[in-house]
Amino acid sequence: MTLPPDLVALPKAEVHVHLEGTVRPATLEELCARVGIDPPPAFHDLASFVESFSCAWAAMITPGDYARLVREYCEDAARAGVRYAELELTTTGRPYDCLAEAVEAAARQPDIVIRFIAGTVRNLPLELAWMMLDATRGVPEVVGIGLGGPEEGFPPEPFRNLFAEAHRRGLHAAPHAGEDAGSASVRRALDALAADRIQHGIRAIEDPALVAELVRRRIPLAVCPTSNLRLGCVASLDHHPLRALWDAGALVSVNTDDPGFFGCDLAGEYAIAGRLLGLDRGGYARLARNSVESSFAPETVKVDLRSAIAEWARKG
Ligand SMILES: [Zn+2]
């Protein structure tokens, strides 16, 4: 794909990316060989992807592995112009040390500010999610709580108290919804989990009243076009709801989700959005600003990014 000139230089925030899903193929091969497991199977939809992701997750076992994932993500993301990222860690069932090492590695990265989302999974036991939440206590770099995994058959309501407690502890709520399940799933994530941001949320488009509410309340949708295509959530990029959501005035950003698995990077997602939305330079700058406003970044980071984006826009 040919990128518009200097799209890489456009300062961007990434607000929907899973640390384990950023693993470089060569690193994953090495980690699997070390623990003597086969490389993850191929995937074609969300269910097979969850299986593939779980296999990869099983190979990432030491705190050092988590530090390495952070380092390699930061190198790759910096090359795509990412200046701030919220990395979702699927720490459920992992020792606290993995989170601690990841946080420490992130603090050493010179070109990118990293915060973390403590991720839990719909189809895993709830008590693991509570353990995960407790592991984040006293770690200021963790700014939010996430919820991933299959939506169909795994509703959000059992996680209501967990998310309420996370809110009481000052964490933001960024559950996945409206990826492979319809608009009702987004509605339930808003009602049961008091979502501050929706990861994906593309199927909100099926319910105009819901879209109007998302617009009015400025609830961000962290959209991942290549991921949606690779997992069959959209038939083709030309059928992607990004355009309709953007035209409705929703606070949409584009993100990579699991770039190691999908072979994408953030500059490439901007190029896709540019084609789907017909963006000029000002449009790209608006998309990047959306990513900043969608984030849970410290206000000082937001201020710096807004002015860096404005400077980029002026250069055109
Ligand atoms: Zn995701």
Side-chain angles (χ1 to χ4, degrees):
M1 188 183 309
T2 332
L3 299 183
D6 79 344
L7 194 50
V8 162
L10 171 62
K12 308 166 195 71
E14 172 142 75
V15 297
H16 184 168
V17 57
H18 302 265
L19 178 60
E20 295 89 346
T22 67
V23 64
R24 293 172 180 168
T27 301
L28 182 56
E29 205 174 302
E30 193 187 316
L31 295 178
C32 287
R34 187 193 57 189
V35 294
I37 60 174
D38 289 334
F43 52 84
H44 60 277
D45 60 9
L46 183 60
S48 54
F49 178 73
V50 168
E51 204 174 305
S52 190
F53 186 92
S54 304
C55 286
W57 188 81
M60 302 161 183
I61 46 177
T62 72
D65 296 342
Y66 275 76
R68 177 179 180 179
L69 290 175
V70 168
R71 263 192 332 267
E72 293 184 352
Y73 167 75
C74 288
E75 282 173 23
D76 296 343
R79 274 197 290 273
V82 179
R83 301 270 295 268
Y84 169 85
E86 278 161 24
L87 285 168
E88 181 160 344
L89 265 113
T90 309
T91 48
T92 299
R94 280 279 184 258
Y96 169 76
D97 292 354
C98 290
L99 172 63
E101 279 282 321
V103 168
E104 221 181 284
R108 288 194 297 267
Q109 301 307 312
D111 303 320
I112 183 164
V113 176
I114 298 286
R115 291 292 183 271
F116 292 92
I117 303 285
T120 187
V121 184
R122 288 170 185 259
N123 55 337
L124 289 180
L126 193 55
E127 47 289 12
L128 290 177
W130 279 102
M131 282 166 60
M132 178 277 302
L133 182 62
D134 281 335
T136 67
R137 224 187 251 281
V139 186
E141 291 83 0
V142 176
V143 294
I145 180 172
L147 181 65
E151 288 171 73
E152 291 290 1
F154 298 97
E157 285 77 12
F159 296 88
R160 186 190 295 272
N161 292 342
L162 179 83
F163 273 66
E165 177 59 22
H167 267 131
R168 270 193 291 278
R169 296 186 192 179
L171 297 177
H172 300 278
H176 287 55
E179 178 186 15
D180 70 324
S183 57
S185 178
V186 178
R187 162 56 57 207
R188 291 167 80 169
L190 291 177
D191 291 349
L193 309 177
D196 299 299
R197 183 175 71 219
I198 300 286
Q199 309 297 73
H200 294 297
I202 53 172
R203 290 188 60 184
I205 200 66
E206 296 163 4
D207 178 353
L210 175 63
V211 172
E213 180 178 337
L214 293 167
V215 171
R216 181 172 49 77
R217 294 176 57 197
R218 302 271 295 160
I219 304 273
L221 304 178
V223 175
C224 308
T226 295
S227 165
N228 296 149
L229 180 68
R230 293 289 309 277
L231 300 186
C233 298
V234 293
S236 76
L237 285 175
D238 291 322
H239 288 88
H240 199 286
L242 182 67
R243 174 82 205 223
L245 291 166
W246 173 270
D247 287 348
L251 184 55
V252 288
S253 60
V254 290
N255 305 271
T256 59
D257 208 359
D258 301 284
F261 285 80
F262 303 141
C264 57
D265 74 16
L266 195 57
E269 297 305 294
Y270 272 66
I272 289 170
R275 184 171 69 74
L276 295 180
L277 304 176
L279 298 181
D280 57 10
R281 197 172 182 85
Y284 281 116
R286 181 181 149 200
L287 187 62
R289 262 198 319 276
N290 277 6
S291 73
V292 175
E293 305 315 325
S294 299
S295 78
F296 308 135
E299 194 51 34
T300 49
V301 171
K302 287 188 176 180
V303 167
D304 285 352
L305 274 173
R306 286 185 199 114
S307 76
I309 292 165
E311 195 180 316
W312 180 91
R314 272 197 303 273
K315 277 189 200 141

